[in-house]
Amino acid sequence: AARMKVAVLGSTGSIGLSTLDVLARHPDRFEVFALTAHSNIARLREQCLAHRPQFAVVVDAAAAAKFTSELQASGCTTRVLVGEAALSEVAAHEQVDAVMAAIVGAAGLRSSLAAARAGKRIMLANKEALVMSGPLFMQAVRDGGATLLPVDSEHNAVFQCMSGPGATQAGVTRSDVRRVLLTASGGPFLRTPASALVAVTPEQACKHPRWVMGRKISVDSATLMNKGLELIEACLLFALPPAQVEVVVHPQSIVHSLVEYIDGSMLAQLGNPDMRTPIAHALGWPERIASGVESLDILRAARLDFEAPDATRFPCLRLARSAAEAGGTAPAVLNAANEVAVEAFLQRRLSFLEIPEVIERVLARHPTLPASSLDDVLSADDWARREAQAALTAAAGVCA
Ligand code: NDP
Ligand code: MG
């Protein structure tokens, strides 16, 4: 059979690296068609030499010239494309079968949508794209005849627990599902008292107890906004109202999520916390392929704990739930304000506890509008970024 041609968007990131690790285990099954980076050209060069893709995209034009000449000097025939539009070009390329959407944040929206419209198999890690554009994204998947497979470990777990006889596609409502329970590790500050949260640093926030991830999602995990975004993501992927999606803290990160059915059965997916498992699941689906992840030692793990999230110390979960309920442009506003606040926290211009404050202030000033076109989504995103910047300036006196 012909090999599946895969475009890995965001190949230089944490999910990108894990994806290439899985792909390299199956050279007779997959062909790496395109790789993309923003600015880490040293890593992109290494990846091009190892995987020999047809195309490499460098978004940052300043980094591209050096990259192209270096690549040619190494005798690599990969074609280099430059600029943001090239991401959508490779995502929708007629020769591409599957797209790993692993760019972080709103920067991945256009290319993820392009893959959907072009009817590709989309393996979605870039949750922000889906959160922002919601129903529009799901409509593009349907119109394009795309296959949307969740890579986010929780959603991949839910997807696995929902596939059985009469296996569903993501996005198809199941009337026999009572609720979905998304598990959360609780992040690095699960046991940190409220009084100490004021002074936590980006280094502490990025030191996740169970997963090694990019900096943005690491901060999101620390504030629990990651779980908030995932709540919105779950409602969209599985066509569920927010009231049917709950969050439980599970510090061991072994149960990746659960689905409860109307007969009282609860199904869970378990495994070592390693993104190569959901990545391999999405790559191989509907078949199973090896991922390189070792067996979960349940005797050593010995126990599984569950507890309710602390809504007082982690207000982001409440903010995300209200945006999910409001719908329209609210999730895009939530996401944009969060991206601005997290970036400011990483640059030490904002304290940890001010992240939800900035988001709440922006959401409070936002009259929810319908999000029926990409323009609606992009203007809400743009508005929220400007509002969040203004809120940062207001907070700047506090965190000098
Ligand atoms: P990283 O920060 O490690 O990687 C981000 C990738 O996106 C890099 O390839 C980066 O390029 C690229 N990128 C950044 N900015 C831009 C831009 N403006 N235009 C184009 N490309 C850009 O993030 P992760 O891999 O951790 O996360 C990726 C996505 O997957 C996120 O949406 C995250 O929420 C999601 N996810 C991640 C998980 C994880 O375990 N890491 C788990 C579940 C979901 P470069 O490095 O060259 O600058
Ligand atoms: Mg997740």
Side-chain angles (χ1 to χ4, degrees):
R3 295 190 300 168
M4 185 186 278
K5 291 193 171 75
V6 185
V8 185
L9 310 183
S11 63
T12 49
S14 161
I15 293 288
L17 284 172
S18 294
T19 303
L20 289 175
D21 180 289
V22 177
L23 290 173
R25 290 167 196 275
H26 305 277
D28 48 353
R29 189 169 180 131
F30 302 109
E31 179 182 329
V32 178
F33 184 79
L35 299 172
T36 86
H38 180 248
S39 49
N40 190 348
I41 60 159
R43 185 169 276 170
L44 183 65
R45 183 170 165 272
E46 231 171 77
Q47 293 180 339
C48 285
L49 294 177
H51 297 276
R52 303 276 164 170
Q54 305 259 349
F55 293 100
V57 176
V58 182
V59 174
D60 182 357
K66 185 167 164 260
F67 174 73
T68 309
S69 57
E70 278 181 2
L71 209 57
Q72 280 167 353
S74 327
C76 184
T77 57
T78 297
R79 271 189 62 196
V80 181
L81 305 176
V82 183
E84 209 220 306
L87 295 172
S88 300
E89 206 179 301
V90 296
H93 195 285
E94 59 171 12
Q95 283 190 54
V96 166
D97 302 303
V99 174
M100 169 58 74
I103 290 173
V104 59
L109 176 62
R110 284 178 190 277
S111 51
S112 300
L113 267 177
R117 292 195 180 117
K120 306 302 185 191
R121 171 195 287 248
I122 310 164
M123 302 170 282
L124 185 75
N126 180 208
K127 65 192 91 187
E128 297 92 346
L130 179 60
V131 166
M132 289 173 77
S133 61
L136 206 68
F137 193 96
M138 298 308 291
Q139 191 59 47
V141 168
R142 282 188 291 271
D143 292 347
T147 303
L148 182 57
L149 299 165
V151 168
D152 210 349
S153 58
E154 296 75 8
H155 307 75
N156 184 268
V158 169
F159 184 65
Q160 291 194 43
C161 295
M162 283 193 187
S163 326
T168 60
Q169 263 283 20
V172 175
T173 320
R174 295 276 303 245
S175 57
D176 54 356
V177 169
R178 188 182 278 162
R179 59 186 178 138
V180 161
L181 284 93
L182 299 177
T183 51
S185 69
F189 307 134
L190 177 60
R191 307 288 174 224
T192 308
S195 58
L197 282 179
V198 183
V200 300
T201 64
E203 289 72 28
Q204 289 169 312
C206 290
K207 207 163 167 276
H208 195 276
R210 303 280 165 205
W211 305 89
V212 182
M213 309 179 288
R215 281 160 66 82
K216 193 265 179 179
I217 186 177
S218 293
V219 176
D220 285 348
S221 299
T223 60
L224 287 198
M225 182 55 94
N226 183 48
K227 219 45 58 176
L229 297 174
E230 290 183 358
L231 164 77
I232 300 171
E233 184 185 11
C235 293
L236 291 160
L237 287 173
F238 306 112
L240 292 168
Q244 268 172 276
V245 183
E246 289 172 34
V247 172
V248 289
V249 172
H250 166 50
Q252 291 94 349
S253 295
I254 287 173
V255 174
H256 299 305
S257 279
L258 308 97
V259 177
E260 185 185 321
Y261 288 90
I262 47 174
D263 62 1
S265 293
M266 232 186 217
L267 303 192
Q269 187 256 354
L270 285 71
N272 279 320
D274 187 321
M275 288 306 294
R276 291 177 301 173
T277 295
I279 288 167
H281 180 266
L283 279 168
W285 186 86
E287 290 168 24
R288 296 261 179 191
I289 61 170
S291 65
V293 176
E294 60 183 71
S295 278
L296 167 63
D297 186 343
I298 49 171
L299 294 180
R300 216 173 127 239
R303 51 182 294 172
L304 304 172
D305 295 313
F306 299 96
E307 60 189 86
D310 180 346
T312 321
R313 281 183 308 141
F314 302 106
C316 284
L317 210 46
R318 167 178 57 82
L319 297 175
R321 190 173 283 281
S322 65
E325 279 156 4
T329 47
V333 167
L334 173 93
N335 177 68
N338 181 57
E339 285 191 27
V340 171
V342 168
E343 185 58 33
F345 170 69
L346 286 170
Q347 296 170 356
R348 293 172 218 279
R349 291 160 53 219
L350 196 71
S351 77
F352 185 76
L353 290 179
E354 286 168 329
I355 296 174
E357 285 175 21
V358 165
I359 301 165
E360 183 150 33
R361 197 172 313 177
V362 174
L363 276 175
R365 290 173 56 86
H366 179 68
T368 298
L369 302 166
S372 3
S373 67
L374 185 57
D375 276 351
D376 293 346
V377 171
L378 293 175
S379 52
D381 174 85
D382 189 58
W383 176 87
R385 280 171 203 275
R386 280 185 280 116
E387 287 290 320
Q389 288 296 350
L392 286 185
T393 316
V398 190
C399 175

